[in-house]
Amino acid sequence: MNLTQNYSTYTEENHNVWAILFQRQIENLPAKAVPEFFEGLKLVNFQPDRIPNFEEVNKRLKPLTGFEVVAAPGIVDDALFFGLIAEKKFPATVWIRSMDQLDYLEEPDMFHDVFGHVPLLTIPVYCEFLAKLSAMALQHVDRPDIVDRLTRIYWYTIEFGLFRKPGAEARIYGAGILSSVGESNLSVSEESVKHDFDVQHILDTGYIKETFQSQYFCIESYEQLLKSLPQIEEAILKLREEPVATE
């Protein structure tokens, strides 16, 4: 995958879209997102009025956790996606939505990939979990059913995870929520269903791509994610031993 960002091709409308989305979420998230998100924004030096330049972002990001952002054409297949992340390369799309798509997209754009994901890629333990989960998925790319189960773990943590310490309100750390004004409001409200983080429960729970999630899983610490990897691996190996369902 040799795609580059070609930063000079972004138009003023592109930058204006970023600015609108950035400002909206910066105003919306302070009481909802984990503090590490805002710390990460500062560390990678995102500007409110200009699309981030991946090359400049990586100069700040890579020394912190070894991760870097690489340009991707859009949604990539599982083998490439997990292979890149296992190598600490996070694939991000280079296109950004248009003005008439501010509130709805069928597939993730750069605002989701970069604004939502990159700030938390400054957290070492979070990155270690992400890289090791991806390496685990890479070992099972011959079994789409198992990759789907591991994608559920990724989905309900990295994409749509909530953080809740005992006795405290839930906060957002999932990128899919951080980049969505509607879901960032729903997810932490009393209207949403929130479960404690449980590996088997997540492995048994399908996810929704077309609309907001119907339920969320809450971790108490990023270390909890890392410590869950042996349990995830054990559950996946048991699935591996089961006969593959046929039509």
Side-chain angles (χ1 to χ4, degrees):
M1 190 177 72
N2 297 315
L3 190 68
T4 57
Q5 189 183 22
N6 292 327
Y7 192 83
S8 63
T9 63
Y10 290 121
T11 65
E12 278 307 303
E13 179 180 328
N14 294 151
H15 289 294
N16 288 338
V17 167
W18 170 272
I20 292 169
L21 295 171
F22 186 94
Q23 187 61 34
R24 185 167 68 176
Q25 285 303 81
I26 287 299
E27 293 174 358
N28 184 44
L29 289 173
K32 302 179 179 77
V34 292
E36 292 86 355
F37 172 74
F38 299 100
E39 293 166 10
L41 279 177
K42 292 178 182 177
L43 288 170
V44 295
N45 196 34
F46 282 176
Q47 299 302 308
D49 59 346
R50 308 300 290 175
I51 289 170
N53 184 311
F54 292 0
E55 185 176 344
E56 294 176 4
V57 169
N58 288 336
K59 288 177 182 177
R60 291 174 170 270
L61 178 62
K62 195 168 183 178
L64 297 173
T65 60
F67 259 86
E68 59 183 324
V69 183
V70 295
I75 296 174
V76 297
D77 64 45
D78 291 331
L80 179 56
F81 179 77
F82 287 120
L84 286 169
I85 296 181
E87 295 177 356
K88 297 188 175 183
K89 300 178 186 295
F90 192 89
T93 53
V94 295
W95 66 277
I96 192 164
R97 69 194 77 178
S98 62
M99 280 291 186
D100 59 0
Q101 295 175 307
L102 290 178
D103 295 311
Y104 178 75
L105 283 177
E106 291 187 0
E107 64 179 275
D109 72 337
M110 183 182 56
F111 185 76
H112 161 76
D113 286 348
V114 176
F115 179 88
H117 282 285
V118 173
L120 268 71
L121 293 177
T122 61
I123 305 172
V125 65
Y126 170 97
C127 287
E128 186 178 355
F129 166 76
L130 177 56
K132 288 183 175 179
L133 178 70
S134 299
M136 191 186 305
L138 203 58
Q139 295 173 2
H140 301 284
V141 288
D142 61 320
R143 287 281 300 271
D145 58 320
I146 290 179
V147 171
D148 177 68
R149 296 297 185 97
L150 289 170
T151 300
R152 295 177 183 185
I153 299 288
Y154 176 88
W155 190 267
Y156 284 116
T157 57
I158 304 302
E159 288 289 355
F160 291 95
L162 294 179
F163 192 109
R164 181 174 62 186
K165 291 184 177 180
E169 297 292 324
R171 293 292 184 106
I172 303 161
Y173 76 96
I177 313 176
L178 290 167
S179 60
S180 166
V181 66
E183 191 139 15
S184 56
N185 292 331
L186 169 67
S187 63
V188 295
S189 74
E190 294 183 358
E191 297 176 28
S192 71
V193 177
K194 303 176 187 69
H195 305 291
D196 290 337
F197 179 80
D198 181 273
V199 166
Q200 195 58 54
H201 192 174
I202 295 174
L203 289 172
D204 293 338
T205 303
Y207 54 87
I208 302 169
K209 284 188 175 181
E210 294 77 18
T211 184
F212 296 158
Q213 302 306 298
S214 60
Q215 55 193 319
Y216 303 89
F217 290 85
C218 304
I219 61 170
E220 294 183 7
S221 70
Y222 302 111
E223 287 77 15
Q224 185 179 13
L225 292 175
L226 193 58
K227 290 177 181 177
S228 74
L229 286 168
Q231 186 182 354
I232 295 170
E233 185 172 27
E234 182 180 356
I236 291 303
L237 290 176
K238 285 182 180 178
L239 285 172
R240 184 97 202 180
E241 294 168 1
E242 296 176 2
V244 180
T246 57
E247 295 293 337

